[in-house]
Amino acid sequence: MKVIYPGSFDPLTEGHMDIIKRLSNMFDEVIVAILNNENKNSLFTVEEREDIIEEAIREKKLTNISIHSFDGLLVNFAKDMDVKLVARGLRGVTDYEYEKNIARVNSTLYEGLETIFLLSNPSYSFVSSSGVREIAAFKGDVSAFVSPSVEKKIKEKFNY
C-alpha cells in the first residue's frame, strides 16, 4: 500500500522526518510530495528540497521512500500516481481544523481519496518550517529543529 505525504518541506524539519519514518514503518511505499508553489517566496528551490530530503532518507537508511514534486492540486498528483491515501501530520487543534477541511475538499474532487492524520511527536509539536525560516533569518540557532545537514544548508543560504 502506498501513501502520499505532501508538503512544502521548506526546510525539512525533524518533525517532518519523524512523520516520514513512522509512515515508512506503516506502508510499503511513502511518496514524499514536494509542492512547488511559485506564489510563495521559498528559501530552497524544489531541487534543493529534493536533495535535502534524499540526504535525510539516506542518513536514516529508509528504503521505501520516493520523492516527487508537483504543481497544482494534490488530487491531480494523487490521480497521476494512482494513490488514494494521503497522510498529514498534526501539531495541534489548529492544524486539525485546517486539514480536515482540505481533506473533505480533496475527497470531493477525487472520489475515494482518504486522508489519515498522524499526531506529531510532542518533541516537535511546536516546530514549523516557517518558524525555522524566521529564526534562521535572524541568524538564530535552529539546531534543535532540523538535522545537522539541513542546518548547514540553512546557514549557507543566510551566510552565517
Side-chain angles (χ1 to χ4, degrees), residues 50-87:
E50 287 174 355
D51 291 343
I52 288 168
I53 295 168
E54 283 175 11
E55 184 174 348
I57 288 167
R58 275 193 310 274
E59 287 173 358
K60 302 292 184 193
K61 297 178 175 48
L62 302 175
T63 59
N64 60 338
I65 313 293
S66 63
I67 304 163
H68 299 269
S69 60
F70 71 100
D71 298 293
L73 296 175
L74 174 61
V75 293
N76 293 335
F77 176 75
K79 287 176 187 177
D80 291 345
M81 298 301 291
D82 195 30
V83 176
K84 289 205 168 193
L85 189 59
V86 172

Side-chain angles (χ1 to χ4, degrees), residues 8-9 12 32-36 44-58 66-70 153:
S8 65
F9 307 105
L12 180 72
V32 176
I34 303 167
L35 173 61
N36 181 18
F44 293 105
T45 67
V46 170
E47 294 78 19
E48 289 171 324
R49 287 180 266 165
E50 287 174 355
D51 291 343
I52 288 168
I53 295 168
E54 283 175 11
E55 184 174 348
I57 288 167
R58 275 193 310 274
S66 63
I67 304 163
H68 299 269
S69 60
F70 71 100
K153 291 185 184 334

Side-chain angles (χ1 to χ4, degrees), residues 89-120:
L90 298 178
R91 292 171 294 182
V93 174
T94 305
D95 283 353
Y96 173 72
E97 290 298 324
Y98 175 76
E99 294 292 345
K100 78 173 181 180
N101 292 328
I102 291 176
R104 287 180 177 150
V105 168
N106 286 343
S107 67
T108 300
L109 295 174
Y110 182 20
E111 187 177 336
L113 183 68
E114 295 287 345
T115 301
I116 61 168
F117 301 112
L118 292 179
L119 296 178
S120 293

